[in-house]
Amino acid sequence: MRAEPEPSADPDLFHQLVLAYLDCRRTKRNRDSAQAFESRLEANLVDLHDRLVDGSYRPGRSICFVVDQPKVREVWAATFGDRVVHHLLYNRIAPRFLARFTADSCACIPGRGTLYAARRLEHQVRSATRNWTRPAHYLKVDLANFFVSINKHVLRAQLARHVTEPWWLRLADTVLMHDPRADVDLRGRPGLLQRVPPHKSLFNAPAHKGLPIGNLSSQFFANVLLNDLDQRVKHRLRAPHFVRYVDDCVLVHESTAWLNAALADISAWLPAELDLQLNPRKTILQPVARGIDFVGHLLKPHCRRTRPGTLARAIGRIQHMPAADVHQAANSYFGLLRQATHSHAERAALANAVRRRGHCVDGALTKAYRTGA
């Protein structure tokens, strides 16, 4: 016998679920999991709705695989139905958090991807240096093993500050506290999993720590957690120039003494308040004139280029990938390179690699064409 609906469940929940499904399939409609869900769309949505309403919904099996570019790391993929629930939760609660995020917080925020972050930092540097006419320094910090180190109890308290509806808070708890290691399908080459450093693997994290990289919910929760850091840097330290993309943060100031004091404050505050640590090996303090490596861009006086390593990986992949994949990948890389303000030399190098694979490139070096197309 089906349980009675919870009184706090939204009467238009099914409509919201349909919108969440449309969001979820937007860029993944050709995936096998999306097509399998769509083949019985109405039945799957009704079943998902009923389990959400009667409180029996629990996330299903996750897929875990390892990627080795740009570095070795685990990626976790929830079932398509679970991803629909992630979008449902995000669509409902995200606006109240997005309104509280600073303009310098980037990643998993509409309109604030890597290009926004690079341009934002470029604007901050130009402001600090009076358009590169005065010296300034930057402090770049990175959080150690960020996603694996996230304390779910600290994050849950932050969610509870602003998610006041009991039903939606319980759904957030269900998504947040789910341990994907309990039911996981390991994919890919077994040797790759062994290459993941133990301290970076979710399999080795304590039960109350760690979010799976790859889920929309994890990316959003990460921003919720680090919003307290953004607010402290902006309003307590009064940093005039600051940008954060996920766990990569850059502060710009004319005084190295001020930056060192800010580093000391952040280093002490993070473990006390968020149970996180800075990675000392990735803490950099140096003049901005030497260039700032940030979100795949290298920012230098009066120009912003694509990181050399990114270009090298792109050319290497074009040279060795299957011929059928070259056209789509090449245009993706051309789009990435066009984000830089100075990219002609990089686009020319990519164009040469694309032409060697039998494709044509337009004269502006911005687009690849199949031969004869």
Side-chain angles (χ1 to χ4, degrees):
M1 181 176 178
R2 190 176 297 279
E4 290 296 322
E6 293 191 41
S8 55
D10 285 4
D12 65 338
L13 182 63
F14 189 81
H15 175 67
Q16 296 180 49
L17 199 59
V18 171
L19 296 179
Y21 160 73
L22 294 175
D23 288 340
C24 188
R25 77 168 192 181
R26 180 168 290 122
T27 59
K28 297 179 174 62
R29 196 170 187 181
N30 293 329
R31 303 282 181 89
D32 291 342
S33 59
Q35 292 181 350
F37 191 92
E38 190 172 1
S39 67
R40 299 184 65 253
L41 179 59
E42 185 174 357
N44 284 330
L45 287 178
V46 168
D47 176 67
L48 199 54
H49 170 269
D50 291 348
R51 287 190 289 126
L52 285 166
V53 169
D54 66 24
S56 64
Y57 167 78
R58 295 296 181 272
R61 167 172 285 197
S62 295
I63 295 172
C64 177
F65 57 95
V66 176
V67 297
D68 57 1
Q69 294 294 339
K71 58 184 177 181
V72 178
R73 64 173 182 172
E74 294 172 352
V75 177
W76 297 74
T79 66
F80 190 85
D82 290 338
R83 296 201 298 272
V84 172
V85 174
H86 297 168
H87 280 270
L88 174 72
L89 178 65
Y90 176 85
N91 290 345
R92 173 70 183 203
I93 71 173
R96 66 191 73 178
F97 289 96
L98 297 180
R100 292 174 169 84
F101 293 165
T102 73
D104 302 309
S105 306
C106 314
C108 199
I109 301 174
R112 299 192 199 175
T114 56
L115 180 57
Y116 174 92
R119 286 175 171 171
R120 186 74 181 174
L121 179 59
E122 186 174 35
H123 169 77
Q124 301 279 25
V125 172
R126 286 183 178 275
S127 176
T129 62
R130 302 297 190 268
N131 199 25
W132 300 100
T133 62
R134 297 183 182 179
H137 291 75
Y138 76 92
L139 170 67
K140 184 179 180 183
V141 296
D142 176 85
L143 301 184
N145 312 316
F146 174 54
F147 278 95
V148 177
S149 301
I150 290 176
N151 188 317
K152 295 182 180 181
H153 299 307
V154 174
L155 179 52
R156 200 273 181 189
Q158 292 175 315
L159 289 169
R161 290 183 205 165
H162 306 295
V163 182
T164 56
E165 308 94 317
W167 190 88
W168 288 101
L169 184 58
R170 281 196 295 274
L171 180 58
D173 280 342
T174 299
V175 173
L176 173 62
M177 297 301 178
H178 171 64
D179 188 348
R181 301 170 297 184
D183 188 10
V184 58
D185 179 12
L186 293 174
R187 301 276 181 92
R189 292 176 290 165
L192 271 181
L193 187 61
Q194 303 303 318
R195 290 175 54 192
V196 178
H199 62 283
K200 292 182 177 292
S201 174
L202 188 61
F203 287 104
N204 299 320
H208 69 289
K209 283 194 174 185
L211 295 181
I213 298 176
N215 291 339
L216 169 67
S217 57
S218 298
Q219 299 169 21
F220 169 66
F221 288 156
N223 270 336
V224 172
L225 179 70
L226 292 183
N227 182 54
D228 280 8
L229 172 62
D230 298 339
Q231 300 296 336
R232 181 171 186 82
V233 171
K234 296 293 291 185
H235 300 297
R236 292 298 182 94
L237 299 182
R238 298 189 179 277
H241 308 291
F242 167 74
V243 179
R244 177 181 63 81
Y245 187 90
V246 192
D247 61 326
D248 290 335
C249 308
V250 178
L251 296 88
V252 182
H253 202 277
E254 62 272 13
S255 168
T256 56
W258 188 94
L259 289 172
N260 277 313
L263 176 60
D265 181 275
I266 294 171
S267 298
W269 182 86
L270 273 174
E273 298 297 328
L274 299 186
D275 195 17
L276 296 171
Q277 301 281 345
L278 291 182
N279 186 341
R281 293 184 301 171
K282 293 186 178 180
T283 299
I284 301 171
L285 175 58
Q286 65 179 16
V288 297
R290 294 185 183 178
I292 307 176
D293 187 346
F294 187 61
V295 294
H297 293 251
L298 184 60
L299 178 62
K300 303 197 78 172
H302 303 292
C303 73
R304 177 167 42 82
R305 297 185 179 278
T306 303
R307 181 189 296 161
T310 302
L311 176 64
R313 283 192 296 271
I315 293 176
R317 290 195 62 195
I318 290 293
Q319 291 172 338
H320 299 104
M321 68 174 45
D325 299 335
V326 171
H327 175 256
Q328 181 176 355
N331 282 318
S332 296
Y333 286 131
F334 276 125
L336 174 65
L337 295 178
R338 288 202 306 270
Q339 293 183 357
T341 58
H342 293 68
S343 63
H344 184 272
E346 290 82 357
R347 286 183 284 120
L350 178 64
N352 288 335
V354 172
R355 285 195 290 261
R356 284 193 289 268
R357 294 303 305 271
H359 291 264
C360 301
V361 178
D362 68 340
L365 305 179
T366 60
K367 189 173 183 179
Y369 297 89
R370 294 185 178 91
T371 302

